[in-house]
Amino acid sequence: MIRIDALGPLEVSVDGSPAPRELLWRKNLGLLLYLARSPRGSRPRGGVASMFWGDKPESDARHSLNEALRVIRKSLPEGALEAESDSLRLDRNAVALDVDEFAEHVRGEEYHRAAELVRGEFAEGFAIADSNEYEDWLSAERRHWRRLATQALASVADGHLEDGDLVGARETARRAAALDPLAEAVAALHVRCDALAGDPSAALVTYEGFAERLDRELGLEPSETMRRLAERIRAQRSIASEQVRAEEPGLSRRLPLIGRGEELKRAMAVVRSCLDEKRPGLLVVLG
């Protein structure tokens, strides 16, 4: 079986061993990835030849396609790749894709397991420069997986915040921002991390930097929810005393709740239910 890890720079193995060099030739690998991500593993044969070798005469393009198929077949079980006169069909069971595992984890809301698979952009750094059609397909795939990966990472970071783990939340939010620096959910995580660390000024700098990037690159403003978050932090800063700051640089007076992650998560669940359902509640903390 061929395995392709595509959530990051492409990594390919065959039956657990490094893939043959000729399989990793750019158009051979690009074709394999394209077929593996195709609906039901099927694509029109003529369209594939045109996509990858559109700069060649039709006969030469078909010959190049046949050579690529020959190379790919050498790493697949017999009969896993069928080439008919008008179509190509790949048995999806013969190729394992990390994106399929990732999507399954997301559907099951197993965001931690999904996040573990994210190493970067879909097929990061991979390109077939002489095929605009293939580049368009890659761009669409990247948008799709970037959105899902960012959502999964943001969910994990939010869970870290509920556990009082600011370090874990910051690191996961940083990974999400590397994928999509204009994702508002990710920017809100960075703002909340700064505020919860007891540094509302840094939180506002983070917010304002995000707002400037959003305006400069997309001509948009932060949502009302994001603006309300910033207003709450401004109010917090206006009533905060310098005494709530740690005297030693780099340290926060707001220490993490070591060994109290579950307790904090339950407390936050009470607060969230009150906010979501717009009802009063009572939370008693003893200590």
Side-chain angles (χ1 to χ4, degrees), residues 210-230:
F210 170 73
E212 290 174 3
R213 288 196 306 274
L214 199 63
D215 178 58
R216 181 176 64 251
E217 300 188 26
L218 299 179
L220 299 175
E221 294 182 350
S223 69
E224 182 180 351
T225 300
M226 187 75 163
R227 293 197 299 271
R228 286 202 303 266
L229 174 62

Side-chain angles (χ1 to χ4, degrees), residues 228-250:
R228 286 202 303 266
L229 174 62
E231 286 303 318
R232 289 199 301 272
I233 294 171
R234 287 192 185 95
Q236 173 189 348
R237 184 178 63 171
S238 68
I239 64 174
S241 165
E242 287 298 322
Q243 295 177 350
V244 303
R245 303 291 184 87
E247 296 181 2
E248 186 175 345

Side-chain angles (χ1 to χ4, degrees), residues 1-7 9-17 19 23 29 32-38 41 72 75-77 80 90-104 117 119 122 145:
M1 174 181 283
I2 297 176
R3 178 175 177 85
I4 304 176
D5 291 329
L7 289 174
L10 289 175
E11 295 182 358
V12 188
S13 62
V14 179
D15 296 328
S17 300
L23 181 64
L29 180 54
L32 175 61
L33 181 62
Y34 181 66
L35 292 176
R37 281 291 303 143
S38 297
I72 294 172
S75 296
L76 290 170
L90 174 67
D91 181 357
R92 291 291 303 275
N93 293 323
V95 179
L97 294 169
D98 64 340
V99 291
D100 291 339
E101 296 177 22
F102 173 85
E104 186 67 25
L117 295 172
R119 297 175 293 111
F122 178 85
W145 295 112

